[in-house]
Amino acid sequence: RTLSILEEAEIKEEKELYAQQEYDTQLAFLTTAYVEHLDGYHLFFQMFENDKEGIDLSMVNEDTQNAYEEYKINFSTICKEICEIGLKEHDKRINEINTFDNAVNEGKGSSQNLGRIIVNEILQKKTNILANVKQLLKKLVGDVDTATLEDITQKAQQLSEEFNDIVTDAWTRLMSIEVDLHEQIEDINEVFRINISDMVDSFLTIARGYFSQLRNCEAEYNDTINGLILYYLSGFGNDTKIPRHLLNLCEDKDMLNYNLNNSHEKHLQVIDAREDIMLTRLKTWLEEYIEQIRKYESERNSQQILEISHFADSQQQELLQLLQQLNPNVNDSEIILALDT
């Protein structure tokens, strides 16, 4: 029997853990769409958390209890509609982001392919020129007469100028590709900014409309409760006393209005706060995301320009170091070392 109780407790604990994990997963998903706690009765019950008078007023009699239940259903139905629209709008934003990413990556891929062709081309030409320079270096081994030295120097100068022209042309072409890509991505960024901003603005406009419906729903409930309780109080004559537990709640019309107004204001504050949370978070996300892609592209462009310049400089430097071996004051061992590189 003890073992059975332990097994039942373990099963219960596992179910509770699984349920909590399911809840946390769903909450995280709804939070990314800015509609957390709008898929059920959470916001409704939140209005009454610190509203004892409001709860007591809803429990005055069967009519007020029915009005409360009807209010709960109507209010939560609107919340669920906000949630459903929020999830659909979230999907639209994700699709727009995916379209944006694909367009940017396509542009980058095309530019990288063009750049790779140019780089391979310059590396191939460099290999041929370096081979020619090394052939000239071989002629410097041993005693070299002045005429031969002048001929080698002239040919080396021609190779140097030829390679510099090749590197300069490659640098220009690579920079042109990068400029075109940068302008293309900036155009894509601007189109994305307009599209995603329109989506967010459209959703926020719709959301404001639904939150207005929630406030109207609250106002209607407040009026309904007021009418029901006044009608209930009218049934007490001079010889009939109002129940003691209602004296501080709705002893007379003024007391009733005071408590109803307080309850109404508390409910509106909860609704307004939830609306502000949605609007603020979504607007903040939009601003930060647009700034993020702008900053990323600016940094990518700057880094790419540096890499292109570094590549061109490194190619010229490599040839320059080899050409320095043509100096007649360099000894044979240094020449041989250069030939082995």
Side-chain angles (χ1 to χ4, degrees):
R1 177 58 184 169
T2 302
L3 181 60
S4 176
I5 293 175
L6 290 175
E7 289 177 347
E8 290 177 359
E10 184 177 347
I11 293 174
K12 180 181 179 182
E13 183 178 350
E14 289 179 354
K15 288 182 178 179
E16 291 176 349
L17 178 60
Y18 177 77
Q20 184 62 44
Q21 290 174 342
E22 286 282 298
Y23 173 81
D24 292 341
T25 300
Q26 178 68 2
L27 178 60
F29 173 65
L30 294 177
T31 300
T32 61
Y34 309 100
V35 290
E36 67 277 10
H37 301 311
L38 292 175
D39 57 333
Y41 298 107
H42 183 276
L43 187 62
F44 178 82
F45 290 132
Q46 187 179 354
M47 292 191 299
F48 288 91
E49 277 183 1
N50 300 310
D51 183 21
K52 181 180 182 303
E53 290 77 12
I55 294 175
D56 291 340
L57 288 170
S58 71
M59 301 296 292
V60 167
N61 60 17
E62 185 177 350
D63 290 336
T64 59
Q65 292 175 28
N66 291 336
Y68 173 86
E69 290 299 324
E70 183 179 355
Y71 175 41
K72 181 174 71 172
I73 293 173
N74 293 338
F75 188 93
S76 299
T77 297
I78 297 173
C79 288
K80 291 176 182 178
E81 290 177 359
I82 299 175
C83 184
E84 291 174 2
I85 292 176
L87 291 175
K88 290 179 181 178
E89 290 297 317
H90 174 68
D91 288 340
K92 289 182 181 179
R93 291 194 296 273
I94 294 299
N95 290 335
E96 184 65 25
I97 290 173
N98 290 337
T99 300
F100 163 75
D101 288 339
N102 290 337
V104 171
N105 291 334
E106 183 179 346
K108 288 180 181 179
S110 177
S111 296
Q112 288 171 354
N113 290 335
L114 292 174
R116 192 175 293 111
I117 292 173
I118 295 173
V119 169
N120 290 337
E121 180 182 313
I122 191 175
L123 292 178
Q124 181 59 48
K125 291 181 178 180
K126 182 187 73 172
T127 299
N128 296 335
I129 290 176
L130 290 181
N132 291 333
V133 171
K134 289 183 178 182
Q135 289 299 320
L136 294 177
L137 282 172
K138 289 180 180 180
K139 296 180 180 180
L140 290 177
V141 178
D143 295 331
V144 180
D145 57 50
T146 302
T148 301
L149 181 59
E150 290 179 353
D151 180 62
I152 291 174
T153 301
Q154 182 180 2
K155 290 180 179 179
Q157 182 64 30
Q158 291 174 349
L159 290 173
S160 176
E161 292 175 356
E162 178 185 351
F163 188 66
N164 283 336
D165 290 342
I166 292 172
V167 171
T168 300
D169 177 67
W171 179 89
T172 301
R173 291 159 64 193
L174 289 172
M175 281 296 186
S176 177
I177 292 173
E178 175 54 29
V179 168
D180 290 343
L181 175 61
H182 180 57
E183 292 178 350
Q184 179 185 356
I185 291 180
E186 284 197 321
D187 289 342
I188 294 173
N189 286 355
E190 180 61 16
V191 171
F192 172 77
R193 184 192 67 79
I194 293 173
N195 290 345
I196 201 72
S197 296
D198 287 346
M199 286 182 180
V200 169
D201 289 342
S202 175
F203 171 58
L204 292 182
T205 298
I206 294 172
R208 289 189 188 97
Y210 275 103
F211 278 103
S212 292
Q213 290 184 40
L214 291 178
R215 283 185 281 270
N216 292 337
C217 193
E218 159 61 24
E220 291 174 4
Y221 168 73
N222 191 266
D223 290 341
T224 299
I225 288 293
N226 182 50
L228 290 174
I229 294 179
L230 286 176
Y231 179 76
Y232 171 72
L233 294 177
S234 67
F236 293 96
N238 295 329
D239 298 331
T240 308
K241 293 184 178 181
I242 298 175
R244 181 179 296 275
H245 70 281
L246 297 179
L247 289 179
N248 294 328
L249 191 65
C250 53
E251 181 178 6
D252 53 38
K253 186 175 181 180
D254 290 339
M255 179 68 71
L256 175 62
N257 285 336
Y258 175 79
N259 286 320
L260 277 175
N261 286 335
N262 279 346
S263 176
H264 182 56
E265 287 301 319
K266 289 178 180 178
H267 294 182
L268 290 180
Q269 288 174 7
V270 171
I271 296 172
D272 292 346
R274 184 61 186 86
E275 181 181 17
D276 288 341
I277 288 174
M278 174 183 287
L279 269 58
T280 300
R281 284 182 55 218
L282 189 49
K283 287 180 179 178
T284 299
W285 169 83
L286 177 63
E287 293 173 359
E288 291 179 350
Y289 196 85
I290 291 176
E291 174 59 22
Q292 175 185 326
I293 62 176
R294 184 207 63 77
K295 181 180 179 181
Y296 176 79
E297 171 53 24
S298 177
E299 292 176 349
R300 186 208 63 79
N301 176 243
S302 298
Q303 181 63 31
Q304 192 66 17
I305 290 174
L306 289 175
E307 290 181 2
I308 292 172
S309 297
H310 175 73
F311 172 74
D313 291 342
S314 66
Q315 299 307 306
Q316 291 175 323
Q317 188 65 28
E318 184 178 353
L319 179 63
L320 178 61
Q321 290 175 353
L322 192 57
L323 289 175
Q324 287 176 346
Q325 302 301 323
L326 294 174
N327 190 314
N329 295 323
V330 177
N331 59 43
D332 289 354
S333 63
E334 290 178 310
I335 295 174
I336 293 172
L337 179 62
L339 291 173
D340 291 336
T341 59

